[in-house]
């Protein structure tokens, strides 16, 4: 399937044959399906194919999870993606056994918009969303008419707006919650404007805007430290920590596959917890 990115989601626009071309463009090589790859000879090494964002997800998988699975006779193949669309398509079409890059609200919205049948197997970690300096070096420096960059996808835009509300910069309509859009802003004292960009592009816009609301994984990729560079972050005690935990995702019906159960167990192990805490300087927090 081919999907067209829109502001509130993704609309399915073409046939199944286009999926192969789309996925090939992201470096997926080989013609055998993930399910076929995962079913090797009894007693031999079994391959689990997983799609992941480079940071922190692929780092966690390669640095801590892969060795644990090897001890259990599984080979973990990690395919890196730099967007939030293709990893779900790859699992839906059977090119990957699982993915690890998203939180539950994003998955729920993706399934709703695209008619996909993907489910969460385990919650693994939380990445505090942050506000970062562009042309303005502090939130106190914001002035009338300044522009703020936010992710354009439905769930992450709401998350950015809730953080801006947390800092007293805007106020949302009552009940807007995790589905808030810029249309739900009730009070905007500085008459700020909002530059809505695909999530991976927000950090690249810092020089063009006053401040930007950036997902932690993309902040890390841009060389930003959540603990040192963020002007504000989501409260660890707030609803965000549970709502936006990053999950291991599979196609419905695969939850109890041997390899998936082993993968979920490894992702929520003491070794992974220690690896996350030692590696990411507070930008990634285990939720187990």
């Amino acid at each position: 399937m081919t999907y067209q990115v829109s502001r509130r989601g993704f609309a399915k626009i073409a046939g199944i044959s286009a999926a192969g071309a789309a996925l090939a463009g992201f470096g997926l090589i080989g013609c055998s399906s993930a399910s076929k790859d995962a079913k090797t000879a009894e007693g031999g090494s079994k391959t689990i194919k997983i799609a992941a964002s480079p940071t922190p997800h692929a780092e966690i998988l390669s640095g801590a999870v892969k060795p644990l699975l090897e001890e259990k006779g599984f080979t973990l193949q990690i395919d890196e993606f730099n967007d939030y669309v293709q990893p779900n398509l790859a699992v839906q079409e059977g090119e990957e056994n699982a993915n690890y890059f998203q939180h539950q609200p994003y998955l729920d919205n993706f399934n709703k918009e695209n008619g996909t049948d993907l489910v969460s197997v385990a919650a693994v970690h939380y990445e505090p969303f942050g506000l970062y300096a562009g042309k303005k070096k502090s939130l106190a420096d914001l002035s009338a008419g300044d522009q703020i960059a936010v992710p354009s996808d439905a769930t992450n835009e709401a998350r950015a707006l809730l953080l801006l509300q947390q800092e007293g910069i805007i106020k949302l309509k009552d009940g807007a919650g995790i589905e808030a859009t810029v249309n739900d802003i009730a009070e905007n004292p500085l008459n700020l404007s909002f530059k809505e960009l695909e999530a991976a592009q927000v950090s690249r816009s810092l020089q063009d805007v006053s401040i930007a609301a950036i997902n932690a994984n993309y902040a890390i990729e841009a060389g930003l430290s959540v603990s040192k560079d963020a002007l504000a972050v989501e409260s660890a005690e707030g609803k965000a920590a549970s709502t936006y935990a990053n999950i291991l995702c599979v196609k419905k019906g695969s939850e109890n596959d041997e390899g998936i159960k082993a993968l979920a167990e490894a992702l929520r192990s003491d070794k992974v917890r220690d690896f996350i805490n030692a590696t990411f300087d507070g930008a990634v927090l285990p939720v187990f």
Side-chain angles (χ1 to χ4, degrees):
M1 287 175 267
T2 297
Y3 288 72
Q4 177 177 314
V5 179
S6 68
R7 193 206 156 285
R8 290 289 296 173
F10 310 94
K12 186 166 65 176
I13 60 173
I16 292 174
S17 61
L23 293 170
F26 281 81
L28 297 182
I29 301 172
C31 58
S32 61
S33 70
S35 58
K36 192 178 295 182
D37 287 343
K39 295 176 182 175
T40 55
E42 189 69 30
S45 176
K46 292 168 262 188
T47 298
I48 305 168
K49 297 177 69 176
I50 184 167
S53 296
T55 303
H57 309 80
E59 292 179 57
I60 294 169
L61 291 167
S62 61
V65 175
K66 191 171 185 176
L68 289 174
L69 289 174
E70 287 175 351
E71 293 174 4
K72 297 182 178 182
F74 292 95
T75 297
L76 186 65
Q77 178 180 318
I78 305 163
D79 295 317
E80 296 185 5
F81 291 78
N82 288 302
D83 77 314
Y84 284 174
V85 181
Q86 297 299 326
N88 276 338
L89 301 186
V91 174
Q92 179 67 25
E93 295 301 326
E95 295 293 334
E96 303 281 342
N97 299 111
N99 67 47
Y100 174 39
F101 76 98
Q102 67 193 318
H103 49 60
Q104 189 68 51
Y106 182 86
L107 176 60
D108 291 342
N109 185 73
F110 192 95
N111 280 331
K112 179 180 177 181
E113 294 291 333
N114 297 289
T116 44
D117 202 17
L118 306 172
V119 297
S120 170
V121 176
V124 182
H125 77 264
Y126 160 62
E127 300 171 15
F129 211 94
L131 299 177
Y132 294 85
K135 296 177 181 179
K136 297 296 175 71
K137 300 310 176 186
S138 74
L139 299 182
D141 291 338
L142 288 172
S143 56
D146 278 349
Q147 187 175 53
I148 299 177
V150 298
S152 59
D153 64 273
T155 54
N156 283 304
E157 181 172 60
R159 195 173 176 185
L161 295 174
L162 288 167
L163 178 54
L164 290 166
Q165 177 174 254
Q166 173 188 303
E167 296 305 306
I169 296 169
I170 61 171
K171 184 175 180 180
L172 298 170
K173 297 174 182 175
D174 290 342
I178 63 173
E179 295 185 353
T181 73
V182 293
N183 295 323
D184 293 307
I185 297 174
E187 296 180 19
N188 183 4
L190 294 175
N191 195 29
L192 302 169
S193 63
F194 295 87
K195 187 173 186 178
E196 298 167 284
L197 300 168
E198 196 274 327
Q201 302 299 320
V202 177
S203 61
R204 299 167 195 170
S205 74
L206 276 173
Q207 70 275 13
D208 301 319
V209 298
S210 297
I211 63 173
I214 305 175
N215 299 67
N217 60 311
Y218 289 129
I220 295 169
E221 287 180 16
L224 298 167
S225 166
V226 175
S227 62
K228 298 183 178 102
D229 298 319
L231 305 177
V233 296
E234 292 168 322
S235 169
E237 286 73 44
K239 188 177 180 181
S242 57
T243 302
Y244 298 111
N246 280 214
I247 58 175
L248 174 65
C249 167
V250 301
K251 190 171 183 180
K252 188 174 182 180
S254 302
E255 302 96 315
N256 293 316
D257 288 358
E258 181 186 12
I260 297 303
K261 291 172 75 173
L263 177 56
E265 181 180 350
L267 271 167
R268 292 173 59 86
S269 66
D270 290 342
K271 182 174 182 179
V272 167
R273 181 190 294 108
D274 293 343
F275 179 85
I276 289 173
N277 288 332
T279 305
F280 297 106
D281 190 30
V284 182
L285 303 172
V287 296
F288 55 91

